[in-house]
Amino acid sequence: MPRTVIGCDLSRAVVDLHTLPDATSAQLPNEPEAIAAWASSLASGILVVFEATSGCEARLRRGVDDGEIPADVDVHALARFVQSVQNGMSVLARDGVTRAELESIAEIAMMGWDARVGD
C-alpha cells in the first residue's frame, strides 16, 4: 500500500490540503488552533509536506549580495516567478502530469531564468 502524503499550500487565510494517493482535497483556516486540531487527528505514518516558498526571496537577495544575481534584478518579481512555476508544477504533478512533461516545463522556466539572471 502506498504511503499517504498530504501536501499543504499556505495562504494568509487558509491551508489547502491535497492528499495522495487518494487524490482528496480539503481546506482549513490558517490559524494555530485549527492547524493543531487537524495535525492531532492524523494517523501515524502520514507524511505532511509544506510548500517551501517562505525563504525564496531572502535566498535570492543573498544571491544578489554575493554577486550570483545581477544587482538590477527585481528580486521580488523573480521570487514570484519561481514560486509560480513551483506551484504550477505541483498542481500538474498532483493531477498526474508525466515526469517528462514536468521536466520540459522546468527547462523552459530555466530559459526565462537564464535570460534575466544569466547562467
Side-chain angles (χ1 to χ4, degrees), residues 12 28 64 71 111 116:
R12 289 180 192 219
L28 59 104
V64 170
M111 289 178 197
R116 184 59 189 107

Side-chain angles (χ1 to χ4, degrees), residues 1-2 18-20 23-24 26 28 62 64 68 72 74 76 95 108 111 118:
M1 178 172 179
H18 306 285
T19 305
L20 295 175
T24 59
L28 59 104
R62 196 166 61 244
V64 170
E68 300 169 345
D72 65 339
D74 181 341
H76 180 75
D95 292 344
I108 291 170
M111 289 178 197

Side-chain angles (χ1 to χ4, degrees), residues 65-109:
D65 293 342
D66 294 345
E68 300 169 345
I69 296 174
D72 65 339
V73 168
D74 181 341
V75 173
H76 180 75
L78 186 60
R80 288 296 185 209
F81 168 75
V82 170
Q83 292 169 341
S84 296
V85 172
Q86 175 188 5
N87 290 342
M89 290 176 70
S90 295
V91 170
L92 291 170
R94 178 200 68 201
D95 292 344
V97 169
T98 67
R99 180 184 180 105
E101 288 177 285
L102 293 172
E103 288 175 353
S104 178
I105 293 165
E107 287 177 23
I108 291 170

Side-chain angles (χ1 to χ4, degrees), residues 5-25:
V5 178
I6 302 174
C8 303
D9 184 20
L10 304 171
S11 72
R12 289 180 192 219
V14 297
V15 180
D16 291 312
L17 307 169
H18 306 285
T19 305
L20 295 175
D22 61 354
T24 59
S25 295

